[in-house]
Amino acid sequence: AQSVAQPEDQVNVAEGNPLTVKCTYSVSGNPYLFWYVQYPNRGLQFLLKYITGDNLVKGSYGFEAEFNKSQTSFHLKKPSALVSDSALYFCAVRDTNAGKSTFGDGTTLTVKP
Amino acid sequence: SQTIHQWPATLVQPVGSPLSLECTVEGTSNPNLYWYRQAAGRGLQLLFYSVGIGQISSEVPQNLSASRPQDRQFILSSKKLLLSDSGFYLCAWSKVTSDIQYFGAGTRLSVL
């Protein structure tokens, strides 16, 4: 079985400060990991993914995520937050033995000017 | 380039009425297709997914059904809507060999 947890419903940061949105996962095999962003009343947009290789993955809009196998985590990060980064962020995982991905419950990021 | 179309954007239906939401994908062939429901702007609930024409897997037993009459067309239906069917419905597709999912703009369904 596979599962993913986003322990924070809400993350608040000031514009210009670094941001982190947390994600932990559980799989029986090797994980494929994804981050998506959703703006109000819109569909989800893909940000980045980890399949294999370098643990630090760079994605769209200056976001990056670090895969940590020992901590089973895949936290989303950005060095300097923008007000326009305010949105709902979803982490997703797929076990290499599974047929489809499982999404977390989402974390609302609010960046204040 | 590939695009996904989902309509209508908003829908208000009375309890007990039928439902048909349509999703089409352009620019790719044999995509995996998905229907999700999102309640109150939070987590996604996978309702159905399809790996090919006529091949539908149901994740949650309920009064909804899905069909895939053509390779790039995915339809979500109900014979009689319930109040609890209200929500934001999202269609998505992915390439068979890649797990990135590409989402439509969503349909906001209100059952009154």
Side-chain angles (χ1 to χ4, degrees):
Chain A
Q2 62 188 25
S3 65
V4 59
Q6 294 181 240
E8 302 158 314
D9 287 343
Q10 178 91 33
V11 171
N12 298 312
V13 299
E15 187 175 30
N17 284 0
L19 70 87
T20 299
V21 182
K22 296 180 180 178
C23 172
T24 59
Y25 66 89
S26 176
V27 295
S28 56
N30 292 316
Y32 296 159
L33 293 156
F34 308 84
W35 275 102
Y36 294 82
V37 60
Q38 184 183 31
Y39 297 100
N41 297 309
R42 302 298 301 274
L44 280 68
Q45 298 175 31
F46 168 74
L47 280 179
L48 50 80
K49 69 176 180 180
Y50 171 83
I51 302 297
T52 186
D54 194 345
N55 289 343
L56 184 63
V57 179
K58 294 187 182 296
S60 306
Y61 312 119
F63 285 94
E64 58 189 26
E66 185 169 11
F67 171 65
N68 188 316
K69 187 173 184 177
S70 63
Q71 298 184 6
T72 60
S73 67
F74 190 57
H75 301 331
L76 181 70
K77 299 181 180 183
K78 187 173 182 180
S80 180
L82 300 173
V83 173
S84 57
D85 293 329
S86 298
L88 183 57
Y89 289 81
F90 290 95
C91 182
V93 66
R94 185 173 86 83
D95 192 316
T96 50
N97 299 320
K100 57 193 182 301
S101 296
T102 298
F103 284 79
D105 288 337
T107 298
T108 300
L109 172 67
T110 301
V111 181
K112 297 184 178 179
Chain B
S1 64
Q2 302 90 359
T3 56
I4 179 169
H5 301 279
Q6 187 180 344
W7 68 92
T10 59
L11 190 60
V12 180
Q13 292 285 98
V15 170
S17 63
L19 173 72
S20 180
L21 301 181
E22 188 164 345
C23 173
T24 60
V25 180
E26 297 178 355
T28 190
S29 60
N30 196 30
N32 290 343
L33 295 170
Y34 311 83
W35 276 112
Y36 291 90
R37 178 168 58 202
Q38 184 178 28
R42 299 306 307 180
L44 298 177
Q45 179 185 35
L46 179 63
L47 301 175
F48 302 94
Y49 73 98
S50 171
V51 299
I53 295 175
Q55 302 177 61
I56 310 292
S57 296
S58 174
E59 294 294 303
V60 182
Q62 55 206 336
N63 70 321
L64 298 173
S65 62
S67 61
R68 185 171 177 171
Q70 301 180 42
D71 180 45
R72 292 169 291 170
Q73 184 184 28
F74 205 25
I75 298 172
L76 182 69
S77 303
S78 174
K79 293 182 179 179
K80 289 185 177 182
L81 283 169
L82 306 173
L83 288 173
S84 58
D85 291 323
S86 295
F88 192 51
Y89 288 82
L90 291 161
C91 179
W93 74 273
S94 67
K95 295 179 182 179
V96 176
T97 55
S98 170
D99 285 314
I100 299 171
Q101 293 187 31
Y102 300 93
F103 286 78
T107 295
R108 175 78 56 191
L109 173 65
S110 298
V111 183
L112 306 175

